[in-house]
Amino acid sequence: MRTGSRLLLVLLVWGSAAARDGDLTVRPTCKPGFSEEDYTAFVSQSIMEGQKLLKVKFNNCAGNKGVRYETNSLDFKVRADGTMYAVHQVQMPSKQLILMVTAWDPQTLGRWEAIIRFLVGEKLQHNGHKPKGRKSIPGELAQQQSDTLLPWRQHQSANGLRRQKRDWVIPPINVPENSRGPFPQQLVRIRSDKDKEIHIRYSITGVGADQPPMEVFSIDPVSGRMYVTRPMDREERASYHLRAHAVDMNGNKVENPIDLYIYVIDMNDNRPEFINQVYNGSVDEGSKPGTYVMTVTANDADDSTTANGMVRYRIVTQTPQSPSQNMFTINSETGDIVTVAAGLDREKVQQYIVIVQATDMEGNLNYGLSNTATAIITVTDVNDNPPEFTTSTYSGEVPENRVEVVVANLTVMDRDQPHSPNWNAIYRIISGDPSGHFTIRTDPVTNEGMVTVVKAVDYEMNRAFMLTVMVSNQAPLASGIQMSFQSTAGVTISVTDVNEAPYFPTNHKLIRLEEGVPTGTVLTTFSAVDPDRFMQQAVRYSKLSDPANWLNINATNGQITTAAVLDRESDYIKNNVYEATFLAADNGIPPASGTGTLQIYLIDINDNAPELLPKEAQICEKPNLNVINITAADADIDPNVGPFVFELPSVPSAVRKNWTITRLNGDYAQLSLRIMYLEAGVYDVPIIVTDSGNPPLYNTSVIKVKVCPCDENGDCTTIGAVAAAGLGTGAIIAILICIIILLTMVLLFVVWMKRREKERHTKQLLIDPEDDVRDNILKYDEEGGGEEDQDYDLSQLQQPETMDHVLNKAPGVRRVDERPIGAEPQYPIRPVIPHPGDIGDFINEGLRAADNDPTAPPYDSLLVFDYEGSGSTAGSVSSLNSSSSGDQDYDYLNDWGPRFKKLADMYGGGEED
């Protein structure tokens, strides 16, 4: 046996169980399909265009008539005889390339697949010669020699020395996903040539073996056969990287670990899924073919580099099919939907519903899986329909002098989308209204044009208007659309005459004249004009406002005359102007009136003499301490006012002897004492003041001056001010004494009221004063027929026949309506169950207290009783002294004291009467 070791990798072909076990069994029947499920070819790194790579064998058991081949790569194709070639020059991206070839029969619609594996490297045996020194392959692997790869091969040279050949690249192991089993399924067998010398144990490590997901792959530790334990899912995990180990029974490494790459071959087990089930897009009406609308997108979870994940789109249906059944097309690869035909018209079709189908396997409907989505395409409006008037002429009527009146409604028709800029109408008056009397406003709901008067029209100036109006939209018309001749119309507006109010041409009218003109003076003629030239009407005048009642107006011609003297200094004058308002009314039906304001500017004359201020003043009895400042005031205005002349009269002579006046300026002067001392008192000082009018006016004003003693600051003392008022010392003392006496009387009255209030609280009735009826007049509505008419049984009250036991009672009986002065008497304790006679005893006790009270008033009073007893069968207390018999003895009333004497006389002496 050769020294050294070899690790053999045996690749088992799927479904070839007989070859795997060494049995060659002839199939009894023909089964359509490829001769192999997995083809392997060695290629160079660069493949030339048209280069033949391998040939697949397929048999459909019918002579292969019409069989077609397809690959999942755009770089390689298969001819009808099964030869695979390169479509163009290909640079191999890696040391391995895995493809899938599909054969399908158009007659039976059958579909078969095989895996093509291109390896960049050397073949096991070059030119069919065996390497020197190699032993024959065991019979177990004789039929699988082409599937067995030796990772490490050792060769011996002629001189007996070994040379090491480079290692083989172990190709990946491909496992189709979604295999139906049975499981476990054998994938590969790992074997070392040392297993004939020693016992070897095989194991695998990595993700899927001893790392999560656990136990996807397993290996027989003795035979080295590796299995897959369950179906694979490429979408869950696309590849696995494992390492194979060979150790002896003691766990010592026999061979170096080798890497195993397992790729899950994708199967078409996922349908394309649209991102949205409903897509919304829009396109303008009238769009040209090729206009982009929207994009739909579907994703396939399968391998996008194979046909399983290559999605193609197509339009299945279009609703409605107007004006063509193919208004849209879709890019099969990108999913872009574009218009393909002209004729989109929103006014005819507002929305299209397009069903889009996405199919994998590059859109092959026979093999691919499909899914659908809905594309809703809204045709958006463009302004391709100009607004048109429903009629060519409109008419309306408006009274003169009216504004904000709608005189005509213009109706239009627009087929564009309502309440959009393409539908909203804008109206313009293009002729017939040079003065701008009218405007046209758009009703936002109906889109009608409302012809509105914005500037009053005059019947006497224009009796009718002929307007030309135009309508357009807010949005401009689409390209190529022209305005319709029906977008213009004529509007005839008739003006009706109404009775207009007279008006004053000059309003406000201003006139100027001097104040003080005599009564009856004609000032002006304030006449009004009636604008109704086509009506014969008379205008009459009257006063509407004349605050001072100074003016009269002639009712016929409007002549203004004075009714009193106009005074510029009157309170009715504002800024020398007097205003009066007059009314001018015609006799139309209905009558109309207008107002006018007359302003009279009054020119001042010197008709007011000046006055002096202040009217009263005070000064110290000694001169040079203070002076009195005097101001002259005149109701007139310049030049009939200052400068003023101030002087003292010569009569009486004491004025100039005691006083002197000094002029400060045109309006002010100072009054002061001339002598060294003047007795305190009140003095009337006359002063003559003259204005500068033409002719000048003067006035003698008297100033009441109080002369008083002053302190060192020059201010009048309090006593001095009183003395100056004319009161002597005796009068002042008398006033003070009167004030003290008045205060003393008020204090005594307050003390007396407090004491009386205290006494009232000391002797307070036990009942509420409001309930005291002794000083009140009681009114009864009805007395009835007397107590004789009522049948009461007084025996229930146990009225005693005599009063002896009452009169002999111990002292201590009191009135219950007064607060006791002394100690409270103690009443005898009544039993728990009262005797019927207790009520009578209680009443008699109160009666005795009232009779023996010397302070009781000479009339009966309301008595308050504490206890009336219980268990009484009496019907009413009002029947105390009544009896069921008509003959009642009232003699006992004489024994009840003087307070019942009147009652005893009334009832006791009834028989005598």
Side-chain angles (χ1 to χ4, degrees):
M1 185 175 180
R2 182 184 300 173
T3 304
S5 63
R6 291 179 300 169
L7 183 62
L8 303 179
L9 180 63
V10 181
L11 301 178
L12 303 181
V13 180
W14 292 91
S16 58
R20 181 173 62 243
D21 297 332
D23 293 336
L24 298 175
T25 303
V26 178
R27 296 178 180 176
T29 58
C30 178
K31 182 178 180 181
F34 286 95
S35 61
E36 302 290 343
E37 293 186 3
D38 195 338
Y39 293 89
T40 303
F42 292 88
V43 297
S44 61
Q45 188 73 33
S46 179
I47 302 175
M48 303 302 295
E49 179 180 355
Q51 179 180 346
K52 297 178 181 181
L53 303 175
L54 58 84
K55 185 175 183 180
V56 297
K57 294 181 179 181
F58 176 77
N59 185 12
N60 67 346
C61 299
N64 291 346
K65 184 177 181 180
V67 175
R68 298 180 182 179
Y69 299 95
E70 293 179 353
T71 66
N72 61 351
S73 175
L74 301 177
D75 298 330
F76 305 95
K77 287 187 178 182
V78 180
R79 295 190 176 95
D81 60 354
T83 303
M84 178 174 286
Y85 66 96
V87 177
H88 50 76
Q89 185 176 356
V90 177
Q91 190 72 23
M92 295 297 288
S94 62
K95 294 186 178 181
Q96 176 181 251
L97 179 64
I98 298 176
L99 306 176
M100 180 174 291
V101 61
T102 302
W104 63 283
D105 191 346
Q107 297 178 356
T108 63
L109 300 181
R111 176 175 174 270
W112 299 267
E113 293 179 348
I115 298 174
I116 306 298
R117 194 180 293 110
F118 293 130
L119 299 179
V120 180
E122 299 179 6
K123 293 184 180 180
L124 181 61
Q125 296 181 6
H126 299 278
N127 298 326
H129 300 284
K130 296 181 180 180
K132 294 181 179 180
R134 178 181 175 183
K135 296 181 179 181
S136 61
I137 300 175
E140 183 184 27
L141 299 176
Q143 296 181 7
Q144 298 182 12
Q145 181 175 354
S146 61
D147 294 329
T148 302
L149 300 178
L150 300 178
W152 301 275
R153 298 295 304 276
Q154 294 181 356
H155 303 273
Q156 189 171 1
S157 61
N159 55 9
L161 297 179
R162 294 180 180 178
R163 64 177 177 86
Q164 183 70 30
K165 189 178 181 180
R166 65 181 179 86
D167 294 346
W168 284 84
V169 177
I170 305 301
I173 303 171
N174 297 297
V175 182
E177 64 173 335
N178 302 324
S179 175
R180 296 183 180 180
F183 295 99
Q185 283 184 337
Q186 182 175 335
L187 297 180
V188 71
R189 180 182 180 185
I190 301 174
R191 179 173 171 271
S192 172
D193 57 1
K194 291 183 180 181
D195 60 356
K196 295 180 180 181
E197 301 174 1
I198 59 176
H199 294 286
I200 296 178
R201 293 294 180 261
Y202 302 96
S203 64
I204 56 175
T205 60
V207 175
D210 60 346
Q211 299 178 18
M214 308 285 286
E215 299 179 354
V216 176
F217 303 97
S218 63
I219 190 170
D220 188 329
V222 177
S223 65
R225 290 184 174 89
M226 192 173 73
Y227 302 91
V228 59
T229 62
R230 61 191 182 193
M232 309 295 289
D233 187 358
R234 191 202 67 84
E235 287 71 40
E236 180 180 345
R237 190 176 183 90
S239 63
Y240 296 87
H241 177 202
L242 302 177
R243 304 200 76 183
H245 306 271
V247 297
D248 59 14
M249 298 302 293
N250 295 325
N252 297 320
K253 182 173 66 173
V254 177
E255 302 286 356
N256 291 326
I258 61 173
D259 292 322
L260 299 178
Y261 292 93
I262 302 174
Y263 290 99
V264 181
I265 300 175
D266 182 47
M267 297 297 175
N268 191 19
D269 57 345
N270 290 279
R271 293 180 179 274
E273 295 292 339
F274 283 94
I275 297 177
N276 301 309
Q277 282 301 311
V278 178
Y279 290 84
N280 291 284
S282 62
V283 61
D284 290 340
E285 62 176 330
S287 296
K288 297 179 179 179
T291 303
Y292 172 80
V293 179
M294 67 169 75
T295 299
V296 297
T297 303
N299 297 322
D300 196 316
D302 292 324
D303 189 359
S304 60
T305 62
T306 66
N308 298 334
M310 295 182 180
V311 180
R312 298 295 182 264
Y313 304 92
R314 73 186 188 95
I315 294 177
V316 180
T317 61
Q318 167 196 306
T319 306
Q321 297 181 358
S322 174
S324 170
Q325 63 180 357
N326 295 318
M327 294 297 296
F328 305 95
T329 186
I330 187 170
N331 188 305
S332 61
E333 295 184 2
T334 63
D336 293 340
I337 299 177
V338 297
T339 59
V340 71
L344 290 173
D345 191 350
R346 190 204 66 85
E347 287 72 38
K348 295 180 180 179
V349 179
Q350 298 183 3
Q351 190 179 81
Y352 290 90
I353 298 178
V354 177
I355 305 300
V356 179
Q357 183 182 58
T359 306
D360 56 16
M361 296 301 294
E362 296 183 289
N364 192 319
L365 299 178
N366 295 324
Y367 309 129
L369 302 178
S370 302
N371 212 337
T372 59
T374 302
I376 300 176
I377 302 174
T378 302
V379 181
T380 56
D381 183 47
V382 298
N383 194 11
D384 57 345
N385 294 282
E388 297 178 349
F389 286 104
T390 56
T391 182
S392 60
T393 58
Y394 298 87
S395 62
E397 187 177 80
V398 58
E400 63 174 334
N401 301 323
R402 295 282 300 276
V403 294
E404 297 301 326
V405 177
V406 177
V407 298
N409 287 337
L410 311 181
T411 57
V412 296
M413 179 184 65
D414 195 323
R415 293 189 297 273
D416 290 320
Q417 184 175 358
H419 305 289
S420 68
N422 300 329
W423 180 82
N424 295 335
I426 297 176
Y427 299 87
R428 292 184 297 112
I429 300 175
I430 58 178
S431 65
D433 184 24
S435 300
H437 292 283
F438 304 96
T439 188
I440 305 178
R441 298 167 180 165
T442 304
D443 189 321
V445 177
T446 63
N447 212 28
E448 294 181 353
M450 300 177 293
V451 182
T452 307
V453 182
V454 294
K455 181 179 178 182
V457 296
D458 190 355
Y459 176 81
E460 286 72 27
M461 299 294 294
N462 299 96
R463 298 187 183 185
F465 292 87
M466 300 294 294
L467 308 179
T468 301
V469 298
M470 174 181 288
V471 63
S472 59
N473 294 123
Q474 286 183 353
L477 290 175
S479 178
I481 305 298
Q482 300 296 327
M483 289 292 294
S484 171
F485 71 94
Q486 295 180 349
S487 297
T488 59
V491 181
T492 302
I493 300 175
S494 301
V495 182
T496 59
D497 191 16
V498 297
N499 185 24
E500 300 177 77
Y503 67 94
F504 292 88
T506 305
N507 194 15
H508 302 15
K509 184 175 182 180
L510 177 66
I511 61 174
R512 299 170 63 92
L513 71 153
E514 288 187 351
E515 63 174 329
V517 295
T519 302
T521 303
V522 177
L523 301 182
T524 185
T525 298
F526 197 27
S527 59
V529 176
D530 192 345
D532 296 315
R533 294 179 296 170
F534 303 100
M535 298 182 184
Q536 299 299 324
Q537 298 177 149
V539 179
R540 298 190 63 83
Y541 303 91
S542 61
K543 285 195 303 182
L544 187 62
S545 173
D546 184 9
N549 202 20
W550 286 345
L551 305 175
N552 289 327
I553 186 169
N554 189 296
T556 304
N557 57 18
Q559 189 179 67
I560 306 296
T561 58
T562 59
V565 177
L566 277 62
D567 186 6
R568 192 201 64 83
E569 290 74 32
S570 172
D571 293 336
Y572 299 104
I573 301 299
K574 304 297 181 185
N575 298 325
N576 301 328
V577 175
Y578 179 74
E579 278 193 2
T581 304
F582 299 92
L583 184 70
D586 60 20
N587 58 350
I589 300 176
S593 60
T595 59
T597 300
L598 178 64
Q599 294 180 331
I600 303 175
Y601 185 89
L602 296 177
I603 301 173
D604 183 49
I605 61 174
N606 193 16
D607 57 347
N608 292 278
E611 296 286 341
L612 291 181
L613 296 175
K615 297 297 183 182
E616 295 182 357
Q618 65 180 15
I619 194 172
C620 293
E621 57 187 3
K622 295 181 180 181
N624 299 328
L625 291 180
N626 54 9
V627 295
I628 300 172
N629 292 321
I630 300 172
T631 302
D634 197 325
D636 294 324
I637 60 175
D638 191 68
N640 298 319
V641 288
F644 298 97
V645 177
F646 303 90
E647 58 182 342
L648 297 175
S650 58
V651 179
S653 59
V655 176
R656 292 192 175 184
K657 176 181 177 182
N658 296 332
W659 305 91
T660 181
I661 190 168
T662 304
R663 178 180 173 183
L664 298 179
N665 54 31
D667 297 331
Y668 301 97
Q670 287 183 344
L671 179 65
S672 60
L673 288 175
R674 180 184 292 272
I675 59 178
M676 297 303 298
Y677 173 79
L678 184 62
E679 184 180 357
V682 179
Y683 297 89
D684 291 335
V685 181
I687 300 176
I688 301 173
V689 57
T690 305
D691 60 21
S692 299
N694 185 18
L697 295 181
Y698 68 92
N699 182 33
T700 301
S701 298
V702 178
I703 299 178
K704 190 178 291 295
V705 180
K706 296 178 182 180
V707 180
C708 60
C710 297
D711 54 16
E712 62 275 5
N713 296 325
D715 298 326
C716 285
T717 61
T718 304
I719 298 177
V722 175
L727 296 178
T729 304
I732 295 173
I733 295 174
I735 291 174
L736 294 176
I737 293 174
C738 291
I739 293 174
I740 294 173
I741 292 174
L742 180 60
L743 293 176
T744 304
M745 292 177 64
V746 172
L747 181 60
L748 292 176
F749 179 75
V750 171
V751 172
W752 179 76
M753 290 296 293
K754 292 289 185 181
R755 184 174 181 181
R756 185 178 180 183
E757 183 70 20
K758 184 175 182 182
E759 290 177 355
R760 288 182 59 190
H761 285 290
T762 303
K763 188 178 182 181
Q764 183 179 9
L765 294 177
L766 296 178
I767 62 175
D768 192 355
E770 294 182 357
D771 298 331
D772 192 356
V773 298
R774 290 178 295 178
D775 296 332
N776 298 325
I777 299 175
L778 303 179
K779 179 181 178 182
Y780 300 93
D781 295 333
E782 184 179 359
E783 295 185 2
E787 293 184 349
E788 292 82 1
D789 298 336
Q790 304 185 23
D791 188 9
Y792 294 115
D793 187 5
L794 298 181
S795 62
Q796 299 293 335
L797 297 176
Q798 296 292 325
Q799 174 63 41
E801 296 179 357
T802 62
M803 300 291 295
D804 296 337
H805 65 285
V806 177
L807 300 176
N808 294 331
K809 262 188 176 294
V813 179
R814 64 178 179 86
R815 289 186 61 179
V816 295
D817 61 341
E818 294 184 3
R819 184 183 300 275
I821 304 297
E824 180 85 10
Q826 299 296 325
Y827 288 95
I829 300 175
R830 295 184 178 89
V832 177
I833 301 176
H835 191 273
D838 288 349
I839 298 177
D841 294 341
F842 189 74
I843 295 175
N844 288 326
E845 289 176 6
L847 178 61
R848 181 181 175 185
D851 291 340
N852 297 328
D853 187 1
T855 62
Y859 46 82
D860 197 5
S861 62
L862 178 65
L863 302 180
V864 180
F865 302 101
D866 297 329
Y867 178 75
E868 291 186 1
S870 62
S872 175
T873 59
S876 175
V877 181
S878 64
S879 61
L880 286 175
N881 294 326
S882 300
S883 176
S884 60
S885 62
D887 296 333
Q888 178 71 30
D889 186 9
Y890 298 102
D891 293 338
Y892 59 84
L893 294 175
N894 295 321
D895 299 331
W896 285 17
R899 303 184 65 181
F900 291 86
K901 185 177 183 303
K902 182 65 176 177
L903 189 61
D905 293 340
M906 294 175 60
Y907 288 87
E911 296 179 359
E912 298 178 358
D913 297 339

